[in-house]
Amino acid sequence: MSFSPSPRRPSRGPRRRSLFASAAGAAGAALLVGCTGGSGSGESGGGPSDAERARARAARDSAELAARYEAVIAAHPGLAERLGPLRDGVVRHAEAFGGARASSPAASGTASAASPSVSARAAGPGGDSGDSGDSGVVPADEKGALALLAGAERKLADRRARALLDVPGELARLLASVAAAGAAHVFLLTEG
């Protein structure tokens, strides 16, 4: 007795498993590239290494993003409970990259006393060239303010993911982890 294969729906593209496997393979390859040899600390010369500059920029970007969160919380106190844990996570990211510990908004009354348009960074994280498209003013409505934060988180997470290939292993792993956390923050800001 011969068995004939059961009739299946015609395939309309790659299966979920193969997509997942290829995505996992690409992510693993990106991390392995970051783990290859070469020491960033063994360079000669008096200036900082590429890895040190990337770490300093990541710390600065996280600090600027934390300031953006503080500005939104100051403008929309009703969002403080929702945004506080996300802001705290961003502060911890800055610390992980070697940034200075930021004081909490409650400890420094200046964050809540400043006007939102002054507190918010005009270009946001990494937007030094003015390409962020926003004026730095916190929108008057909560939905717009959340969209502003989500956009800043998304741009920063994307830039960190692109930087993975240019930094050594330990920093690449940290950037990947923080970029993933940023992507989770985007989800929480838009869907949560």
Side-chain angles (χ1 to χ4, degrees):
M1 174 190 302
S2 72
F3 290 99
S4 62
S6 61
R8 296 168 108 180
R9 289 187 297 177
S11 177
R12 293 186 187 139
R15 298 175 129 184
R16 282 187 292 176
R17 284 184 187 171
S18 61
L19 285 175
F20 179 71
S22 63
L31 286 176
L32 286 177
V33 169
C35 295
T36 58
S39 65
S41 61
E43 295 179 358
S44 61
S49 70
D50 289 341
E52 291 168 341
R53 283 192 298 273
R55 183 180 290 274
R57 179 177 179 160
R60 187 175 56 249
D61 288 346
S62 290
E64 290 174 1
L65 184 58
R68 172 78 50 102
Y69 271 95
E70 289 173 5
V72 170
I73 291 170
H76 301 285
L79 292 174
E81 185 176 335
R82 180 177 178 184
L83 297 180
L86 300 178
R87 183 226 171 253
D88 293 344
V90 171
V91 169
R92 285 191 299 273
H93 297 159
E95 292 170 1
F97 287 118
R101 170 111 177 114
S103 61
S104 68
S108 70
T110 58
S112 59
S115 74
S117 61
V118 174
S119 297
R121 303 286 179 159
D128 296 335
S129 62
D131 62 339
S132 65
D134 61 51
S135 64
V137 176
V138 175
D141 64 319
E142 289 184 355
K143 188 173 184 177
L146 291 174
L148 178 80
L149 286 174
E153 285 271 19
R154 184 178 294 115
K155 286 179 186 176
L156 188 53
D158 290 346
R159 190 172 65 243
R160 285 176 172 164
R162 286 190 306 272
L164 288 175
L165 300 175
D166 300 328
V167 295
E170 181 72 22
L171 182 55
R173 286 186 290 275
L174 182 57
L175 278 172
S177 176
V178 173
H185 286 187
V186 170
F187 175 79
L188 293 170
L189 289 166
T190 57
E191 305 292 327

